Amino acid sequence: MKILVINGPNINMLGIREKHIYGSENYDTLVELCKETGKKLGVEIECWQSNHEGDIVDKIQWAYFNGVDGIVINPAAYTHTSVALLDAVKAVSIPTVEVHISKVKEREDFRQVSYIRAACVKTISGQGIKGYETAIKYLAEEEYKR
Ligand code: DQA
């Protein structure tokens, strides 16, 4: 099984940006956690990050043509704005889990909308970077059931 972990804008700034919200662990630690989780489950993990909406659309389409079985995505700010990301996930029909590091529900009104959610099999929010581990485990277990 192959899982692609996509992170959107400013997630590369983890450990620097708003630590009281996103914690002090950096992006490299997030990548390590995902890879370790994959190793334990016997799942191949690719981690990829971009600050650019169109590049994320391209990567989701790339997943379709490159044998990706599951996507974990934190679209970051594009969660609240991007119909293009919603359409991309719908287009590829790859089981996708939406992850947010922070407790989005307890934050500003403009963060309460998620366009991509309608195309996702699950949403994980407020678990810190551990949420990525939960998401990978969920996709691996669902794959096992199929
Ligand atoms: C985020 C929440 C978003 O509202 C925000 O724009 C982010 C990160 C999170 O992981 O908690 O950049 O997706």
Side-chain angles (χ1 to χ4, degrees):
M1 187 188 190
K2 187 166 158 184
I3 293 178
L4 173 64
V5 180
I6 298 177
N7 278 292
N10 301 304
I11 301 298
N12 56 318
M13 296 295 279
L14 278 185
I16 299 168
R17 73 183 292 211
E18 301 175 284
K19 289 187 202 174
H20 59 293
I21 296 174
Y22 300 110
S24 54
E25 286 145 317
N26 64 21
Y27 179 71
D28 288 346
T29 305
L30 188 167
V31 170
E32 240 167 69
L33 171 70
C34 292
K35 299 255 175 195
E36 276 307 307
T37 305
K39 236 183 239 170
K40 278 183 209 156
L41 297 168
V43 170
E44 187 187 335
I45 302 285
E46 176 180 334
C47 293
W48 183 89
Q49 188 274 334
S50 174
N51 294 323
H52 306 280
E53 185 176 12
D55 288 347
I56 301 172
V57 171
D58 287 345
K59 191 66 180 180
I60 293 167
Q61 293 180 7
W62 174 92
Y64 179 82
F65 295 107
N66 287 275
V68 170
D69 305 295
I71 296 174
V72 172
I73 187 165
N74 182 349
Y78 294 137
T79 307
H80 319 302
T81 61
S82 181
V83 178
L85 293 188
L86 165 68
D87 286 348
V89 173
K90 280 189 170 172
V92 299
S93 288
I94 296 171
T96 298
V97 176
E98 174 191 14
V99 172
H100 300 287
I101 296 163
S102 66
K103 290 189 178 112
V104 178
K105 267 192 189 156
E106 296 174 9
R107 299 183 64 193
E108 302 95 323
D109 286 350
F110 65 83
R111 294 186 203 275
Q112 302 313 312
V113 174
S114 168
Y115 286 99
I116 207 166
R117 191 158 303 164
C120 292
V121 293
K122 195 175 175 62
T123 297
I124 294 157
S125 182
Q127 294 185 12
I129 67 168
K130 272 252 168 201
Y132 293 84
E133 184 181 336
T134 309
I136 291 166
K137 280 184 179 162
Y138 179 82
L139 284 173
E141 277 163 20
E142 288 299 300
E143 175 77 7
Y144 182 68
K145 280 188 216 154
R146 276 199 287 270

